[in-house]
Amino acid sequence: MFRIDRRSLLMTGTLGIGAYAVPGFAQSGSVANLRGFTHNVASGEPASDSMLLWTRFVPDDEKPIHLTAEVSTTPDFVTIVTKGVAITGPWRDWTTKITVSGLAPGTSYFYRFIGPGGAVSPVGRTKTLPEGPTASFKAAIFSCSNMPFGFFNAYAHAATRDDLDLAIHLGDYFYEYKTGGYPPLKDQVRPTEPAGELIRLIDYRIRYASYRADPDLQAIHARVPWIVQWDDHETANDSWEGGAENHQPDEGDWSSRRNAALQAYREWMPVSDEPWKTYEIGTLATLFRTETRDLARTEQPDIAPLFREKDPAAALKAFRDGAWMDPAATMMGTQQANWLFHELRRSVKAGQKWQVVGFGTIMGKTVMPEAALGWLDPNAGERAKNYLLAGIQAAKVGLPFNYDNWGGYPAERERFLKAAQGAGANLVVISGDSHNGWAYDLGQDGKPAGVEFAGHSVTSNGYEGSIKTDPKVVAAGLVAANPELKWCDTSRRGYMALTITPTKVSNDWLFVDSVKTRSANAVVGHTATIARGRNVMA
């Protein structure tokens, strides 16, 4: 029988039994023995004169503690530029976030935390945003990092670079599934904790503790500042304001689960509590962090029932001309949309060269090519076959195959793109979620509205999961069937690197060798460029 005393109960309430018995955690594998700075350091929410600094410290007793953050321009900390202090405890899982100010723009800094008894954290590096004219700015862009699928080689490669000013994560930082849920056990490369599906606050906290113990994720967090936003898997698959595909009635109240997930997210991530925010990159660009998942999104359309109608084609057409175009359907909600539309105009009037908007899911129009059925693996299951068949039938009446992304919210997509056009924005949309790489020219009313660079996953399996056809054939078929789509890759993992200059923005899709073994190798597989004033790719 496993006996838990009061101290163990407190610790498992914040970490979970066995949370550190996975590769990368403390060698003892014992929660009771885990103490001190447990998960390295991180920084985020950069501004030209301030930075949010993050760490986690578990003391030898149960009492709240003070942590001090120190910032210096040199790694020896001979001169302390600024510092901050905060109190943390079990109510926030022993994490702390300290925002320090008085920093110089466009400047690299070293930072560390001092804990009880003079304990010193690992040293992190960060960099403030520039002010004024800026020649160039580079950000690594990540999404969809599912630990059981493999190693975080995309993070490992990015952490070796000296040219990054920022890291951006567009969502699905982790996945909420139970062990064997996604991926199935036969495809699992490495474990994560807890073994069960995430429902309670303790579950989400343990999963963060598990992921944040990964050495490559720790390295990139400690290397550059981060701007992060959540998508669905930080709560549950295909989540929306009132529920999720992966939330069942016997799992309790959805609001309680969502609130627990968001609390753990705000504890463990170097992010402020603001749900959306702007970041000014000198006079070069405004970057917009958005929320399109859990706070105001209406439920995604579901076309599956239409195929059970007597005349599915007629049902699809009725949906296309009716419910699909519902102007009340929203991903952002009216408050955020109003903020974003006004901020786009403000950014343009202020003389910012570019407007870069991060969304969790893809905006570019994408339909299923009729040829897709021939790409299917002969051994693929009925579910995969039916998904392709449904997408092909939907495409025949002009409907997309994905309704969890902007394809399910065409009226709001139109409002956003018209707002960008009306503001005179030089619009660059960056997005994640699909696990594959895509480049779109976004149009509205027959006119260019901007471009979209959609990122592939860090590890999660993509479009190729049920496909055995040559990826080049698949890409050619998708591009031919979708006028907005200019390039795609449906077979490889990695990250994007976005470079912004006054006259152009270029985006690299970097591909790692594999995620099945740990490696820091990656190569640029494709580059797309947009010149200022054109709103289409060169």
Side-chain angles (χ1 to χ4, degrees):
M1 181 177 179
F2 192 83
R3 184 175 180 180
I4 304 176
D5 61 19
R6 182 171 179 269
R7 172 170 298 202
S8 297
L9 182 62
L10 174 72
M11 294 301 297
T12 56
T14 57
L15 298 173
I17 297 171
Y20 294 91
V22 297
F25 280 98
Q27 293 299 311
S28 69
S30 169
V31 171
N33 292 333
L34 187 72
R35 294 293 185 269
F37 289 102
T38 64
H39 285 80
N40 212 302
V41 296
S43 66
E45 299 294 348
S48 63
D49 61 352
S50 66
M51 188 71 65
L52 182 153
L53 306 177
W54 179 97
T55 197
R56 182 173 185 273
F57 186 96
V58 180
D60 289 329
D61 54 33
E62 304 167 10
K63 298 177 181 178
I65 58 168
H66 283 69
L67 289 174
T68 299
E70 297 182 339
V71 180
S72 176
T73 54
T74 59
D76 57 12
F77 290 85
V78 170
T79 301
I80 304 300
V81 174
T82 188
K83 61 173 59 179
V85 65
I87 298 171
T88 189
W91 61 85
R92 60 170 303 108
D93 207 6
W94 301 104
T95 66
T96 194
K97 295 187 289 190
I98 298 174
T99 297
V100 293
S101 58
L103 306 178
T107 302
S108 294
Y109 290 97
F110 297 90
Y111 65 97
R112 66 186 182 186
F113 289 84
I114 309 300
V120 182
S121 75
V123 174
R125 288 180 57 185
T126 193
K127 188 177 183 180
T128 51
L129 297 181
E131 279 186 357
T134 303
S136 181
F137 188 88
K138 188 182 290 287
I141 302 172
F142 306 99
S143 63
C144 305
S145 36
N146 187 324
M147 181 180 282
F149 263 116
F151 291 90
F152 292 157
N153 294 333
Y155 294 146
H157 182 269
T160 66
R161 301 179 64 149
D162 292 323
D163 61 343
L164 295 178
D165 299 296
L166 180 69
I168 299 170
H169 203 292
L170 294 172
D172 298 344
Y173 184 88
F174 70 27
Y175 285 69
E176 85 284 9
Y177 294 108
K178 66 180 181 181
T179 298
Y182 179 68
L185 283 174
K186 65 181 180 65
D187 296 325
Q188 180 174 292
V189 174
R190 55 181 180 157
T192 187
E193 294 288 331
E197 184 180 330
L198 311 186
I199 297 173
R200 304 163 299 162
L201 177 59
I202 180 178
D203 303 327
Y204 288 98
R205 284 173 165 175
I206 296 170
R207 187 63 55 88
Y208 278 109
S210 180
Y211 271 63
R212 289 294 298 274
D214 179 87
D216 298 314
L217 180 53
Q218 287 192 4
I220 187 61
H221 266 303
R223 182 74 173 175
V224 291
W226 280 53
I227 292 174
V228 293
Q229 59 191 68
W230 63 66
D231 193 37
D232 53 339
H233 291 291
E234 285 86 350
T235 49
N237 183 55
D238 288 359
S239 57
W240 57 285
E241 183 183 15
E245 179 276 333
N246 193 27
H247 182 77
Q248 312 308 319
D250 63 356
E251 292 174 328
D253 178 65
W254 165 248
S255 294
S256 296
R257 181 179 185 179
R258 179 189 63 184
N259 292 344
L262 299 188
Q263 177 180 333
Y265 175 89
R266 287 169 171 146
E267 291 170 348
W268 277 86
M269 300 299 288
V271 64
S272 68
D273 290 347
E274 300 150 291
W276 49 80
K277 192 172 180 178
T278 59
Y279 307 84
E280 303 298 341
I281 303 171
T283 57
L284 192 59
T286 303
L287 174 63
F288 301 85
R289 171 166 63 85
T290 67
E291 197 290 315
T292 56
R293 183 54 74 173
D294 290 323
L295 301 185
R297 178 195 276 245
T298 51
E299 189 172 10
Q300 305 89 329
D302 180 11
I303 65 170
L306 303 181
F307 294 96
R308 296 190 288 270
E309 296 286 335
K310 185 176 181 180
D311 186 347
L316 286 167
K317 289 178 181 177
F319 167 74
R320 177 197 64 194
D321 299 334
W324 185 52
M325 292 300 298
D326 184 353
T330 180
M331 297 178 79
M332 295 187 288
T334 57
Q335 181 184 355
Q336 183 182 184
N338 182 65
W339 162 82
L340 181 56
F341 299 168
H342 279 84
E343 284 295 298
L344 282 170
R345 291 198 295 270
R346 181 202 58 77
S347 174
V348 173
K349 289 180 179 179
Q352 295 292 73
K353 305 295 190 299
W354 299 94
Q355 288 69 45
V356 183
V357 183
F359 289 128
T361 59
I362 288 176
M363 176 168 282
K365 291 181 178 179
T366 319
V367 302
M368 187 75 73
E370 192 161 2
L373 198 56
W375 303 337
L376 199 62
D377 182 345
N379 297 318
E382 284 298 308
R383 185 173 181 272
K385 183 178 180 180
N386 289 337
Y387 180 78
L388 287 181
L389 285 171
I392 291 168
Q393 281 192 266
K396 290 179 179 179
V397 298
L399 288 169
F401 63 84
N402 189 342
Y403 298 88
D404 184 59
N405 67 17
W406 286 86
Y409 304 83
E412 186 165 63
R413 175 196 140 112
E414 179 179 334
R415 291 193 294 267
F416 168 73
L417 292 178
K418 282 186 174 180
Q421 289 174 326
N426 286 275
L427 176 67
V428 176
V429 170
I430 53 175
S431 60
D433 180 66
S434 78
H435 306 175
N436 296 125
W438 314 79
Y440 296 89
D441 281 338
L442 302 173
Q444 180 61 45
D445 298 330
K447 302 174 185 176
V451 303
E452 178 176 19
F453 302 138
H456 44 323
S457 65
V458 171
T459 59
S460 300
N461 206 16
Y463 198 92
E464 75 282 3
S466 300
I467 300 293
K468 292 302 180 184
T469 302
D470 184 339
K472 293 180 180 178
V473 173
V474 174
L478 286 164
V479 169
N482 293 282
E484 287 192 344
L485 181 62
K486 304 305 175 184
W487 170 86
C488 68
D489 179 274
T490 63
S491 63
R492 292 175 285 181
R493 314 277 73 82
Y495 70 104
M496 300 192 298
L498 187 77
T499 303
I500 309 172
T501 72
T503 58
K504 69 178 183 179
V505 172
S506 62
N507 189 67
D508 295 333
W509 284 262
L510 290 104
F511 299 113
V512 299
D513 296 342
S514 171
V515 296
K516 303 304 181 184
T517 57
R518 192 177 175 212
S519 168
N521 296 327
V523 296
V524 176
H526 184 74
T527 300
T529 301
I530 175 176
R532 187 169 184 268
R534 294 202 61 210
N535 275 335
V536 294
M537 280 175 277

